[in-house]
Amino acid sequence: MRNLLIDQIVDDGYAVIDDFLTPEEVSELLEAGQSLHKDAPKEERRVFSTINSKSAQSKDRYFIESGDKIRYFFEEGAVDENGDLLVDPSVALNKVGHALHTDHPVFSEVTFSNRVKEVCWQLGFRKPAVAQSMYIFKNPGVGSEVKSHQDATYLYSEPSSTIGFWIPLEDATQQNGCLQFIKGSHRSGVHRRYIRNPDQTSEELLIYDRPAPLYPQSNFVPAPVKAGSLVLIHSQAVHRSDANRSNHSRHAYTFHVIETENCDYSKDNWLQPAADRPFPVLFERD
Ligand SMILES: O=C(O)CCC(=O)C(=O)O
């Protein structure tokens, strides 16, 4: 029997499942996400930007140590040079990561749900594990662009196995910055990697191994989706999202699943499991 989900990912590099979450689940996750800012730091606010290398997280231990914690990254336009907020705290965050799937009960429940396991099963995973999770805000006014990238740049494995699960909690439209893809780009290899800097004397903890490739905007197709849909993203699919130019927020919950059987997750990746906290496994196939 043909597996339509796999066919779509093989053809396009991504697939959409409508109505993956119930409206009640969407509301619960949205409410949890909207509350996250209450625990954000009130000083030493860290900015997350995929655009401006001056404020790049690569120089920041706060980012590299966030793999097994809940940490808060602000929008560049939300914080002044003294670290003071320029906008209301409820709309100031860019994202929260990278262990909501283990450390926050609401996000944990959906990540380890039978529905997610079923999708991983359908995709042919043998021993899938969740490497990281993020709540992405893209609030109106400050929600910034996410530059073109492949997830394999950050979560490289051999063979290529990572699948991104991206769930909008509000309708994602072209106006508020839905995902955009270069269809078929997942068949073009990994274009660059973001690795732990082998030069221990450098102040930069993380570096790109090559300059960013140029992807013409005309190659991208938008993927507007309703709240509660699931977008599955092949690790080599080139994707991006625009800044939010609407009056509506575009919150999303996302996590990444890797194969842990007969697959090498690179030791150079920025995200490494702590010695006492391996990436949690969803199931093991006999
Ligand atoms: O939410 C977005 O706008 C971008 C998310 C994304 O590209 C990712 O998680 O890899």
Side-chain angles (χ1 to χ4, degrees), residues 134 136 138 146 149 151 166 177 179 233 239-241 250 252 254 256:
M134 291 180 275
I136 302 178
K138 213 179 269 284
V146 173
H149 66 282
D151 292 345
W166 189 89
L179 295 181
I233 307 172
H239 58 289
R240 64 178 300 278
S241 67
R250 198 235 59 193
T254 181
H256 288 86

Coordinates of all heavy atoms in Angstrom, one line a residue, residues 134 136 138 146 149 151 166 177 179 233 239-241 250 252 254 256, ligand 1:
M134 N 10.6 23.8 20.6 CA 10.6 25.3 20.7 C 9.1 25.8 20.6 O 8.3 25.2 19.9 CB 11.3 25.9 19.5 CG 12.8 25.7 19.5 SD 13.6 26.5 18.0 CE 13.4 25.3 16.8
I136 N 7.5 29.1 19.1 CA 7.9 30.3 18.3 C 6.8 31.3 18.3 O 5.6 30.9 18.0 CB 8.3 29.8 16.9 CG1 9.4 28.8 17.0 CG2 8.7 31.0 16.0 CD1 9.9 28.2 15.6
K138 N 6.5 34.8 16.9 CA 6.2 35.7 15.7 C 5.0 36.6 16.0 O 3.9 36.5 15.3 CB 6.0 34.8 14.4 CG 6.5 35.6 13.2 CD 6.4 34.9 11.9 CE 7.5 34.1 11.5 NZ 8.6 34.8 10.9
V146 N 12.5 34.5 9.6 CA 13.4 33.4 9.8 C 14.0 33.1 8.5 O 13.3 32.8 7.5 CB 12.6 32.1 10.4 CG1 13.6 30.9 10.4 CG2 12.1 32.4 11.7
H149 N 16.8 28.2 5.5 CA 17.7 27.2 6.1 C 17.2 25.8 5.9 O 16.0 25.6 5.5 CB 17.9 27.5 7.6 CG 16.6 27.3 8.4 ND1 15.6 28.2 8.4 CD2 16.2 26.2 9.1 CE1 14.6 27.7 9.2 NE2 15.0 26.5 9.6
D151 N 17.0 22.3 8.2 CA 17.1 21.8 9.6 C 18.4 21.0 9.8 O 19.0 21.0 10.9 CB 15.9 21.1 10.1 CG 14.7 22.0 10.2 OD1 14.9 23.3 10.2 OD2 13.5 21.6 10.3
W166 N 5.9 20.8 13.0 CA 5.7 22.2 13.2 C 4.1 22.4 13.2 O 3.4 22.0 12.3 CB 6.3 23.0 12.0 CG 6.3 24.5 12.2 CD1 7.2 25.2 12.8 CD2 5.2 25.4 11.7 NE1 6.8 26.6 12.7 CE2 5.7 26.7 12.0 CE3 4.0 25.2 11.0 CZ2 4.9 27.8 11.7 CZ3 3.3 26.3 10.7 CH2 3.7 27.6 11.0
G177 N 3.2 35.5 8.3 CA 4.5 34.8 8.2 C 4.5 33.3 8.3 O 5.2 32.6 9.1
L179 N 5.1 29.4 6.9 CA 6.3 28.8 6.4 C 6.3 28.9 4.8 O 5.2 28.9 4.2 CB 6.4 27.3 6.8 CG 6.6 27.0 8.2 CD1 6.7 25.5 8.5 CD2 7.8 27.7 8.8
I233 N 8.5 18.4 8.2 CA 9.6 19.0 7.4 C 10.8 18.1 7.3 O 11.4 17.7 8.3 CB 10.0 20.3 8.0 CG1 8.8 21.2 8.3 CG2 11.0 21.1 7.2 CD1 9.0 22.5 9.1
H239 N 13.6 26.0 3.9 CA 12.4 26.8 4.2 C 12.7 28.0 4.9 O 13.9 28.2 5.4 CB 11.5 25.9 5.0 CG 12.0 25.3 6.3 ND1 13.0 24.4 6.4 CD2 11.8 25.6 7.6 CE1 13.3 24.1 7.6 NE2 12.6 24.9 8.4
R240 N 11.8 28.9 5.1 CA 11.9 30.2 5.7 C 10.6 30.7 6.1 O 9.6 30.1 5.8 CB 12.6 31.2 4.7 CG 11.7 31.5 3.5 CD 12.4 32.5 2.6 NE 12.6 33.8 3.2 CZ 11.7 34.8 3.4 NH1 10.4 34.6 2.9 NH2 11.9 35.9 4.0
S241 N 10.6 31.9 6.8 CA 9.3 32.6 7.0 C 9.5 34.0 7.1 O 10.6 34.5 7.6 CB 8.6 32.1 8.3 OG 9.3 32.4 9.5
R250 N 1.3 34.8 15.3 CA 1.4 33.5 14.6 C 2.2 32.6 15.5 O 3.4 32.3 15.2 CB 2.0 33.7 13.2 CG 1.8 32.5 12.2 CD 3.1 32.0 11.7 NE 4.0 31.5 12.7 CZ 5.3 31.2 12.5 NH1 5.9 31.4 11.3 NH2 6.1 30.7 13.5
A252 N 3.5 29.2 17.2 CA 3.6 27.8 16.8 C 4.5 27.0 17.8 O 5.4 27.5 18.4 CB 4.3 27.7 15.4
T254 N 7.0 23.6 17.9 CA 7.7 22.8 17.0 C 8.7 21.9 17.7 O 9.2 22.3 18.8 CB 8.4 23.6 15.9 OG1 9.1 22.7 15.0 CG2 9.4 24.6 16.5
H256 N 11.7 18.4 17.0 CA 12.4 17.6 16.0 C 12.7 16.2 16.4 O 13.1 16.0 17.6 CB 13.7 18.3 15.6 CG 13.5 19.6 14.8 ND1 13.3 20.8 15.4 CD2 13.5 19.8 13.5 CE1 13.1 21.7 14.5 NE2 13.2 21.1 13.3
Ligands
LIG1 O1 8.3 29.2 12.8 C1 9.0 29.7 11.9 O2 8.7 30.8 11.4 C2 10.2 29.0 11.3 C3 10.4 27.7 12.0 C4 11.6 26.9 11.4 O3 12.0 27.2 10.3 C5 12.1 25.8 12.0 O4 11.8 25.5 13.2 O5 13.0 25.2 11.4

